[in-house]
Amino acid sequence: AVQLVESGGGSVQAGRSLVLSCAGSGFKYNYCLGWFRQAPGSEREGLAAVDNDGDTYYADSVKGRFTISLVNTNYTLSLQMSSLKVDDTAVYYCAAHDGFCNGISGETFYYWGQGTQVTVSS
């Protein structure tokens, strides 16, 4: 079975950077891994996705600030976040589905990690 475990969350000041990691396991063939976040009182938001063919997708809200990367050999997914804003405060989730990526709609992802809290202070 596919398992996803996030790490790297924490508290940081606005303008700083933070890297989130997701250790994946159980993938068999093609797969898509993505990052999502959900702030209190807000809907879940898709941020970025990448598949084992190297295709990437980004939400406009994070394009240019966040970078997603994937190491296929050990299914390690990362999210490099820079120029963080207070509005980036949320629980961040790693998610995945079988097959190549076709966007970052949360409805297409069915494997989810437990989430990691990111808090950005002013």
Side-chain angles (χ1 to χ4, degrees), residues 83-100:
S83 302
L84 284 164
K85 307 173 183 179
V86 174
D87 288 347
D88 293 320
T89 296
V91 177
Y92 285 69
Y93 296 91
C94 173
H97 65 72
D98 299 309
F100 293 131

Side-chain angles (χ1 to χ4, degrees), residues 11-114:
S11 297
V12 64
Q13 285 189 318
R16 305 296 289 268
S17 299
L18 196 65
V19 178
L20 303 182
S21 295
C22 174
S25 62
F27 296 104
K28 292 187 176 180
Y29 302 110
N30 298 315
Y31 51 90
C32 174
L33 283 156
W35 287 101
F36 295 77
R37 69 185 178 189
Q38 188 164 22
S42 299
E43 293 186 355
R44 183 180 58 199
E45 177 187 12
L47 302 176
V50 60
D51 58 34
N52 59 304
D53 201 37
D55 290 329
T56 58
Y57 297 81
Y58 288 96
D60 289 341
S61 60
V62 302
K63 197 174 295 183
R65 292 195 302 126
F66 291 7
T67 303
I68 193 170
S69 59
L70 172 65
V71 178
N72 285 322
T73 53
N74 61 3
Y75 310 117
T76 298
L77 181 73
S78 298
L79 185 69
Q80 170 76 44
M81 304 185 292
S82 61
S83 302
L84 284 164
K85 307 173 183 179
V86 174
D87 288 347
D88 293 320
T89 296
V91 177
Y92 285 69
Y93 296 91
C94 173
H97 65 72
D98 299 309
F100 293 131
C101 292
N102 187 26
I104 47 177
S105 170
E107 286 72 25
T108 62
F109 289 76
Y110 40 82
Y111 301 116
W112 291 86
Q114 81 285 356

